Amino acid sequence: MEENYYVICASSIVVSTLFFIVFVKILRTKNKKIGKNGTCLKFPPGGRGWPLIGDSLNWYNAVAGSHPPAFVEEQVKRYGRIFSCSLFGKRAVVSADPSFNRFIMLNEGKLFQSSYPKSFRDLVGKNGLITVHGEQQRKLHAIASSMMRLDKLRVHFLKDIQMVMLRTLNNLQEDQTYLLQDVCRKVAIELMVNQLMGVSSESEVNQMAGFFSDFVDGCLSVPINLPGFTYHTAMKARDNIISKIDKTVEKIKNEQLSATSEARNGVLGRLIEEQSLPDAVVADFIINLLFAGNETTAKTMLFAVYFLSQSPKALQEILAEQDGIRGTSGDEHMLTWEDYKAMPFTQCVIDETLRIGGIAIWLMREAKEDVEYQEYVIPKGCFVVPFLSAVHLDENIYKGAVNFNPWRWMDPDNKEKRNWRTSSFYSPFGGGARFCPGAELARLQIAIFLHFFLTKYRWSQVKDDRMSFFPSARLVNGLQIRISKRTD
């Protein structure tokens, strides 16, 4: 009997082992596919993280810190530049591979489409340029790109940007302490409201700034539309912004009918005059531009001053460049287009700020069909994340990647990398069909801000600070500074 018992146990172990091997083989087979060239493709390797929450907590801890690719870099060491993990309750493929990131962006609308959380989609609107798909996305993107071409920046934006900038910066008081994050936010929202909607009243600008602060806070919130929840406050802010846009649209249409000179005020005026779009589409279109422009401009202005505060040598060089421009006509000199183009080191500072502290650190996409790439297959419906910051901060691509070094962009070896329209290694404005149409406008605004802020003021940092990128890019303490007017 005892002998039979051992035989039965041994048999059970053998059978169980065989079942386990078959089960594992079936799982592996499900994750494999024969490619077009006959090779065996597989789902990108990776772990599954904790039950239910997956890798979301580790992901959050990384992006909420000063070095957002920390989690990605750890996974790359284990699995390679293209790996899988569990994010937000979904299986996701994450890429720190420059070529694959570029492949994803260039195949927007074909193999991949944008995929954002419900709270974000609700706030930017179903007709928003950021979230809309297909032919409508291409149409709206073409309209935005046309309105923000370089030739139109000279005619429609250059003078207005400087007037708005001077009006805000001239109000800063001597020997006062400010949160520069608030100053930059006010400058950016005033710029965008002025340029997109033709609004210049300080009370209206302050009102819109309050709405947008609530709006941005809700973009990655839990979508619970009840009083007391961030999402509810953000949706109310969206309603208020829409109401303001609708009133401005009505005013512009009345001005057009009466043939007044104000009919073309701002992008909104030109949009109504030159395009035939429903009011709901116009409202979402403007909200998207306000959101994208405000976030990029305000945060890059802020981070540029933050990095310059930590790099006396860079600050000295950019001051010399800007003082050289100022020296021709005095403090209140209104810059010409030629002045703007004569800021090579300032442009390096902007590029380096966008590389380290870029706003779009990662993108959210979804595979529209089974996608084959190298030895991998990505199933239809799979969440795909090109992690741009992991490329921007890769030591194998940029020597001393985590260090602020604007001189790196003067190196001829980095000339191709620096082309942010086509480079696989530098994508601060995205790429492909969703390349940011306001990229040139944002750079112009940032350069002009740096010119007037640096030539008018000196500052000292009152409190230590650090970067965080969740729920959006920011400095944790808002960059608290004490300013004084320059007398040299």
Side-chain angles (χ1 to χ4, degrees):
M1 290 294 291
E2 187 176 347
E3 185 179 338
N4 289 339
Y5 171 76
Y6 286 117
V7 169
I8 291 169
C9 286
S11 300
S12 298
I13 292 171
V14 171
V15 171
S16 298
T17 303
L18 288 172
F19 269 117
F20 179 74
I21 292 171
V22 171
F23 177 70
V24 170
K25 191 171 181 63
I26 289 171
L27 281 180
R28 288 182 174 176
T29 303
K30 282 180 69 177
N31 285 332
K32 290 185 177 181
K33 177 184 176 183
I34 301 303
K36 294 174 183 177
N37 60 359
T39 58
C40 187
L41 305 177
K42 60 183 179 180
F43 188 70
R48 291 191 173 273
W50 294 92
L52 299 179
I53 63 172
D55 297 292
S56 300
L57 189 58
N58 291 332
W59 182 277
Y60 164 77
N61 287 336
V63 298
S66 299
H67 189 65
F71 168 76
V72 174
E73 289 171 352
E74 181 184 320
Q75 301 304 301
V76 166
K77 290 176 184 175
R78 297 176 63 186
Y79 304 112
R81 289 181 178 273
I82 303 172
F83 63 91
S84 60
C85 62
S86 179
L87 293 176
F88 320 122
K90 297 176 69 175
R91 198 73 184 142
V93 171
V94 180
S95 169
D97 182 277
S99 299
F100 187 44
N101 288 352
R102 185 76 179 160
F103 175 80
I104 294 168
M105 289 186 284
L106 291 178
N107 281 283
E108 167 68 36
K110 303 170 190 173
L111 302 178
F112 303 94
Q113 64 183 16
S114 65
S115 175
Y116 291 94
K118 173 177 166 51
S119 55
F120 186 84
R121 297 196 309 270
D122 291 346
L123 284 165
V124 301
K126 64 180 181 181
N127 300 304
L129 181 59
I130 298 173
T131 56
V132 76
H133 302 295
E135 185 57 36
Q136 184 74 339
Q137 187 273 333
R138 288 187 285 274
K139 178 181 179 181
L140 294 178
H141 192 275
I143 292 171
S145 298
S146 173
M147 290 185 167
M148 298 184 194
R149 293 198 316 263
L150 278 175
D151 59 324
K152 295 196 174 183
L153 296 186
R154 301 189 199 192
V155 177
H156 297 296
F157 295 107
L158 183 59
K159 182 180 178 181
D160 285 348
I161 289 172
Q162 295 178 77
M163 292 178 66
V164 169
M165 204 76 73
L166 287 169
R167 184 165 62 237
T168 304
L169 293 180
N170 284 341
N171 285 332
L172 298 180
Q173 300 296 312
E174 177 88 13
D175 291 326
Q176 292 293 312
T177 300
Y178 292 92
L179 290 180
L180 192 64
Q181 191 157 273
D182 292 344
V183 174
C184 292
R185 185 181 290 136
K186 184 176 180 181
V187 167
I189 194 65
E190 184 164 358
L191 283 169
M192 297 311 294
V193 170
N194 175 271
Q195 291 155 22
L196 295 180
M197 299 172 60
V199 172
S200 57
S201 160
E202 185 172 357
S203 62
E204 288 182 295
V205 168
N206 289 337
Q207 186 182 51
M208 288 290 282
F211 293 154
F212 251 88
S213 179
D214 291 338
F215 178 95
V216 171
D217 287 345
C219 283
L220 292 178
S221 62
V222 178
I224 300 176
N225 201 7
L226 293 173
F229 286 88
T230 304
Y231 174 81
H232 177 78
T233 304
M235 288 300 289
K236 285 184 66 177
R238 171 185 159 82
D239 290 342
N240 288 325
I241 296 168
I242 291 287
S243 175
K244 179 63 182 174
I245 293 172
D246 288 343
K247 288 178 182 177
T248 308
V249 167
E250 184 178 354
K251 177 185 175 184
I252 290 171
K253 287 181 176 178
N254 289 335
E255 288 173 345
Q256 288 176 343
L257 288 173
S258 60
T260 68
S261 60
E262 298 297 317
R264 291 177 64 87
N265 268 7
V267 168
L268 183 55
R270 297 200 302 278
L271 183 68
I272 294 168
E273 185 173 324
E274 298 170 15
Q275 306 292 334
S276 178
L277 296 173
D279 287 353
V281 175
V282 169
D284 281 351
F285 182 84
I286 294 296
I287 272 196
N288 276 239
L289 294 184
L290 283 168
F291 169 73
N294 182 60
E295 281 294 286
T296 301
T297 305
K299 303 304 170 58
T300 309
M301 289 173 182
L302 175 70
F303 284 161
V305 175
Y306 173 67
F307 291 137
L308 288 169
S309 299
Q310 298 177 325
S311 177
K313 184 181 176 184
L315 178 58
Q316 183 179 6
E317 186 156 341
I318 194 173
L319 276 172
E321 180 172 274
Q322 294 299 335
D323 283 346
I325 295 170
R326 181 184 65 162
T328 58
S329 303
D331 282 352
E332 293 296 319
H333 169 48
M334 297 292 281
L335 298 176
T336 64
W337 190 256
E338 289 68 31
D339 290 329
Y340 170 60
K341 302 306 280 187
M343 301 180 182
F345 188 72
T346 301
Q347 295 298 333
C348 290
V349 167
I350 293 171
D351 281 328
E352 186 70 347
T353 301
L354 288 167
R355 185 187 67 82
I356 300 177
I359 309 309
I361 61 172
W362 49 293
L363 307 176
M364 298 181 184
R365 297 292 184 263
E366 181 181 299
K368 293 182 66 176
E369 58 184 72
D370 286 358
V371 178
E372 298 178 16
Y373 185 82
Q374 296 179 355
E375 72 269 32
Y376 299 123
V377 60
I378 299 168
K380 179 181 178 180
C382 186
F383 189 43
V384 182
V385 183
F387 208 103
L388 308 182
S389 182
V391 176
H392 294 167
L393 298 177
D394 189 337
E395 282 285 342
N396 296 312
I397 298 173
Y398 296 101
K399 184 179 179 181
V402 298
N403 300 322
F404 180 74
N405 176 16
W407 296 276
R408 77 170 75 247
W409 299 112
M410 296 179 174
D411 187 340
D413 291 341
N414 284 331
K415 184 178 180 180
E416 288 304 315
K417 289 179 187 174
R418 192 180 183 184
N419 188 340
W420 38 268
R421 290 186 179 276
T422 60
S423 175
S424 299
F425 304 100
Y426 184 56
S427 313
F429 298 105
R434 291 192 182 275
F435 180 83
C436 176
E440 292 284 6
L441 174 59
R443 296 181 69 91
L444 175 64
Q445 292 171 332
I446 296 159
I448 292 176
F449 168 80
L450 289 173
H451 171 77
F452 287 120
F453 185 73
L454 296 175
T455 55
K456 282 180 169 295
Y457 298 105
R458 292 195 182 281
W459 72 93
S460 59
Q461 192 170 332
V462 175
K463 193 173 184 179
D464 287 342
D465 225 322
R466 67 176 180 84
M467 295 185 294
S468 172
F469 292 84
F470 190 89
S472 62
R474 63 194 175 93
L475 288 172
V476 172
N477 294 318
L479 192 54
Q480 193 172 358
I481 60 172
R482 179 174 288 275
I483 67 166
S484 59
K485 291 186 178 179
R486 287 186 62 184
T487 57
D488 54 323

